[in-house]
């Protein structure tokens, strides 16, 4: 399938952090034609291996499969679901969002409810409603009714958003953080033909709660260098200063110079920048962001693994709906594939 088609399938799948199985199964299916071997480790990271020459470097690509979402915490006596947040979600965006509760065997649509503003006191209307004062309504009549429907503590809850095109080059959908990186990784493996380096393409788990899957996968793979494929904040919307971020959607992939968890290794940065220049791929540079990616954890695994990040500029990450440019997606895959082909010149 095309890059766009892969992104659509991945975006529409549910893979709330810690419950990535549907996305994992898709990744195995998508990576299989482009790998010599596929394995799933104990943490349920997917590892697709493309063999290279014996003495050439081993490169790890990492794209996390999980998405921010919710998890069933309790069920009230009246059948309303109270929830915990899985990953960083702003409480302000939660009220009135449509969601899907994924039980063991079936799914239920629902809506995040709160005390109606019509009966709130003036001081209440001025405050952000905390997530623990919200609830999910799936139409259950009581706790017993919800339990009979199959709802259980620990069930993942995803936002109810479907992938859709916007204009010529722009798409909208759920969980672009980081199904976009997953789609880029699949496309990168497709673009690679004969390779000198051994490439281990890893779909990681539990990134949104502490880069956990990347840590265990990197320890097992033991690569010589690594690239995380992820998204980054597109700052081309009202209210964002150039100082906050200069990255814009549609202007090419972004290379991280530094973020809160990583200072990109100079050799990695030189490798990626020179590859982009030689291949005439437009790139953007970013530094000083508060967030981080799998590269941060990979870089301090074992004795240290030189690591960097190729990011796709995306609007509204960590919200129910993201927006991105397919051009940026395609260029990210082209840059990653070209860099892998040139890696033996640098390492």
């Amino acid at each position: 399938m095309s890059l766009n088609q892969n992104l659509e399938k991945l975006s529409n799948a549910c893979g709330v952090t810690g419950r990535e199985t549907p996305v994992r199964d898709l990744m195995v299916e998508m990576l299989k034609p482009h790998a010599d071997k596929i394995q799933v480790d104990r943490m349920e990271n997917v590892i697709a291996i493309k063999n290279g020459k014996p003495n050439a470097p081993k490169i790890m690509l990492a794209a996390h499969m999980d998405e921010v979402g919710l998890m069933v915490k309790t069920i009230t006596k009246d059948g309303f679901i109270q929830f915990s947040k899985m990953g960083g979600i702003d409480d302000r965006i939660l009220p009135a969002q449509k969601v899907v509760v994924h039980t063991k065997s079936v799914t239920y649509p629902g809506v995040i409810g709160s005390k109606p503003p019509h009966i709130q006191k003036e001081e209440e209307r001025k405050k952000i409603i905390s997530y623990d004062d919200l609830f999910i309504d799936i139409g259950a009549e009581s706790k017993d009714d919800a339990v009979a429907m199959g709802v259980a503590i620990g069930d993942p809850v995803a936002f109810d958003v479907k992938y859709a095109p916007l204009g010529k080059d722009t798409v909208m959908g759920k969980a672009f953080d980081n199904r976009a990186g997953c789609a880029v990784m699949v496309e990168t493996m497709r673009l690679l033909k004969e390779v000198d380096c051994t490439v281990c393409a890893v779909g990681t788990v539990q990134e949104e709660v502490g880069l956990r899957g990347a840590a265990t996968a990197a320890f097992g793979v033991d690569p010589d260098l690594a690239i995380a494929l992820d998204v980054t904040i597109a700052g081309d919307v009202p209210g964002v200063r150039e100082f906050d971020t200069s990255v814009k959607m549609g202007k090419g992939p972004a290379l991280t110079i530094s973020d809160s968890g990583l200072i990109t290794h100079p050799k990695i940065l030189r490798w990626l920048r020179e590859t982009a220049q030689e291949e005439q791929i437009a790139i953007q540079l970013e530094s000083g962001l508060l967030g981080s990616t799998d590269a941060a954890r990979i870089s301090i695994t074992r004795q240290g693994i030189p690591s960097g990040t190729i990011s796709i500029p995306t609007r509204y990450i960590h919200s129910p709906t993201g927006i991105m440019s397919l051009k940026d997606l395609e260029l990210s895959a082209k840059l990653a594939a070209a860099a892998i082909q040139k890696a033996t010149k640098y390492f």
Side-chain angles (χ1 to χ4, degrees):
M1 293 193 299
S2 70
L3 178 56
N4 183 26
Q5 289 171 320
N6 282 340
L7 178 61
E8 180 173 4
K9 289 189 74 172
L10 290 164
S11 172
N12 287 340
C14 174
V16 173
T17 189
R19 298 291 185 269
E20 299 93 348
T21 300
V23 182
R24 180 200 67 195
D25 293 345
L26 281 174
M27 289 295 286
V28 169
E29 176 188 327
M30 291 175 181
L31 287 165
K32 189 174 290 186
H34 315 302
D36 297 307
K37 179 182 178 182
I38 290 187
Q39 60 192 51
V40 178
D41 69 13
R42 294 175 186 172
M43 282 283 286
E44 300 203 346
N45 299 296
V46 176
I47 305 170
I49 303 169
K50 191 175 187 66
N51 294 323
K53 296 179 180 179
N55 296 321
K58 183 191 292 184
I59 300 174
M60 177 176 170
L61 298 176
H64 70 88
M65 300 183 292
D66 58 319
E67 66 190 274
V68 296
L70 313 173
M71 182 173 283
V72 176
K73 183 177 176 66
T74 59
I75 306 170
T76 72
K77 62 181 178 61
D78 296 316
F80 296 103
I81 296 170
Q82 295 173 310
F83 57 86
S84 54
K85 297 190 292 184
M86 304 300 291
I89 303 174
D90 190 337
D91 289 359
R92 292 174 296 180
I93 69 170
L94 290 172
Q97 292 290 345
K98 291 172 63 180
V99 295
V100 179
V101 179
H102 292 258
T103 73
K104 185 177 181 180
S105 55
V106 295
T107 61
Y108 294 106
V111 64
I112 299 178
S114 62
K115 182 180 177 180
H118 312 77
I119 57 175
Q120 290 178 2
K121 296 177 181 178
E122 185 177 351
E123 58 268 23
E124 289 180 299
R125 288 196 294 269
K126 295 178 180 178
K127 292 181 180 179
I128 297 170
I129 305 174
S130 175
Y131 79 95
D132 52 6
D133 287 324
L134 299 170
F135 51 84
I136 298 170
D137 189 345
I138 58 168
E141 297 177 358
S142 65
K143 181 176 182 177
D144 289 343
D145 187 25
V147 171
M149 292 167 71
V151 179
I153 292 170
D155 284 343
V157 180
F159 295 112
D160 188 5
V161 175
K162 295 300 180 186
Y163 186 88
L166 296 176
K168 295 180 181 178
D169 178 58
T170 307
V171 292
M172 174 177 72
K174 176 182 70 68
F176 284 171
D177 183 5
N178 184 37
R179 305 297 153 65
C182 291
V184 166
M185 188 165 70
V186 172
E187 181 69 3
T188 299
M189 293 292 278
R190 187 191 71 80
L191 291 173
L192 293 172
K193 305 303 178 186
E194 296 298 318
V195 290
D196 290 333
C197 297
T198 292
V199 182
C200 298
V202 185
T204 65
V205 298
Q206 298 186 38
E207 190 266 2
E208 297 292 3
V209 288
L211 318 177
R212 297 172 185 174
T216 59
F219 191 94
V221 169
D222 192 17
D224 297 295
L225 55 143
I227 301 173
L229 303 169
D230 211 321
V231 299
T232 190
I233 297 166
D236 51 354
V237 296
V240 178
R241 301 176 302 167
E242 189 84 1
F243 178 80
D244 297 322
T245 177
S246 60
V247 172
K248 295 175 174 59
M249 197 176 78
K251 301 298 183 182
L255 302 182
T256 298
I257 295 177
S258 67
D259 60 28
S260 64
L262 175 77
I263 300 173
T264 298
H265 195 288
K267 288 184 179 179
I268 297 286
L269 197 56
R270 176 177 168 234
W271 169 46
L272 295 177
R273 292 184 70 174
E274 291 185 0
T275 297
Q277 185 176 17
E278 290 169 11
E279 299 296 320
Q280 297 184 329
I281 296 172
I283 58 169
Q284 306 178 76
L285 301 176
E286 64 177 354
S287 65
L289 287 182
L290 293 177
S292 197
T293 70
D294 278 339
R297 188 59 65 90
I298 295 168
S299 69
I300 55 172
T301 299
R302 289 184 179 264
Q303 303 99 320
I305 299 166
S307 303
T309 304
I310 298 174
S311 297
I312 307 104
T314 306
R315 296 173 183 165
Y316 323 122
I317 62 174
H318 282 221
S319 77
T321 307
I323 291 179
M324 66 168 40
S325 161
L326 290 174
K327 176 185 173 185
D328 291 337
L329 204 71
E330 292 165 1
L331 290 177
S332 297
K334 287 181 180 178
L335 175 57
I340 290 167
Q341 296 286 15
K342 298 174 188 288
T344 52
K345 291 170 53 180
Y346 293 86
F347 302 97

